[in-house]
Amino acid sequence: MNEGLIPKRYAKAIYEVAAQKGVQKDFYTLMSNLAHAFEIQPDIQTVLSNPFVKPQDKKKIILTAAQATSDNTGFNNFLTLLQNNNRFACARAIALAYLETFRAKNNIKVVKVCTAAPLEPEEESRLKKIIAAHLGNATMEYSSEVKPELIGGFTVQSGNERLDASVANELKQLRLNLISK
């Protein structure tokens, strides 16, 4: 079976059950925490894929990474499902697929802004308003990062759309124009 299909099926099923119980937003938070933990600590995947690590230890790792409490029955049921089907190694992919499913169902767009230097609060607020107007009725999940290699300006990434208004990009375009002549 396709490895991309399995996480999507789990995510869809988890979302449907969570929506029936009205806890889909709580699951979104837990899955966001889990995805972030994998991002900052990639060794978690190695541990979860290791057949010599006990399933109860894998459960504890995921509970800790998701910042879930042991009394969260829905999340514990999810972990039991992973254990019963030997799918702990898919936890990251399932978390990412759940985030994607939740965002699609709730019309949420992820927006990442990279700037050469930190923005002043007024500038950032103005930029957020412009982006929100472009997104229409979608809710924006905004994050920003400072990348000095941009030299100046900024980039905005939302889904497949990318606006590159950086000095580094302008220099690259100028260089390409000079080379082509």
Side-chain angles (χ1 to χ4, degrees), residues 10-149:
Y10 273 82
K12 182 179 176 189
I14 293 164
Y15 181 84
E16 289 173 4
V17 170
Q20 288 173 357
K21 296 183 180 191
V23 295
Q24 67 272 30
K25 189 165 176 120
D26 296 335
F27 256 88
Y28 182 74
T29 302
L30 294 171
M31 293 299 198
S32 293
N33 293 343
L34 184 58
H36 182 68
F38 275 102
E39 190 177 307
I40 61 172
Q41 192 57 264
D43 291 340
I44 295 172
Q45 185 63 47
T46 306
V47 173
L48 294 178
S49 300
N50 188 334
F52 298 108
V53 177
K54 296 177 184 172
Q56 56 268 35
D57 292 337
K58 292 179 182 183
K59 270 184 164 179
K60 288 178 188 174
I61 289 168
I62 293 174
L63 273 172
T64 302
Q67 300 172 19
T69 58
S70 57
D71 64 335
N72 187 320
T73 55
F75 199 74
N76 281 312
N77 290 343
F78 162 63
L79 294 179
T80 300
L81 181 67
L82 291 183
Q83 180 178 350
N84 292 343
N85 296 320
N86 196 24
R87 297 280 188 211
F88 282 118
C90 295
R92 177 182 182 272
I94 293 169
L96 292 173
Y98 183 87
L99 296 176
E100 188 177 298
T101 300
F102 183 89
R103 289 174 181 141
K105 299 273 188 187
N106 293 283
N107 197 20
I108 298 172
K109 303 291 182 190
V110 176
V111 175
K112 183 172 184 177
V113 174
C114 296
T115 58
L119 292 175
E120 294 294 325
E122 308 85 44
E123 292 172 321
E124 189 166 33
S125 176
R126 200 172 97 221
L127 184 59
K128 282 182 181 180
K129 285 179 185 174
I130 293 169
I131 295 168
H134 176 73
L135 295 176
N137 64 349
T139 304
M140 176 174 41
E141 196 173 280
Y142 179 89
S143 66
S144 63
E145 182 180 357
V146 174
K147 288 187 172 181
E149 63 268 19

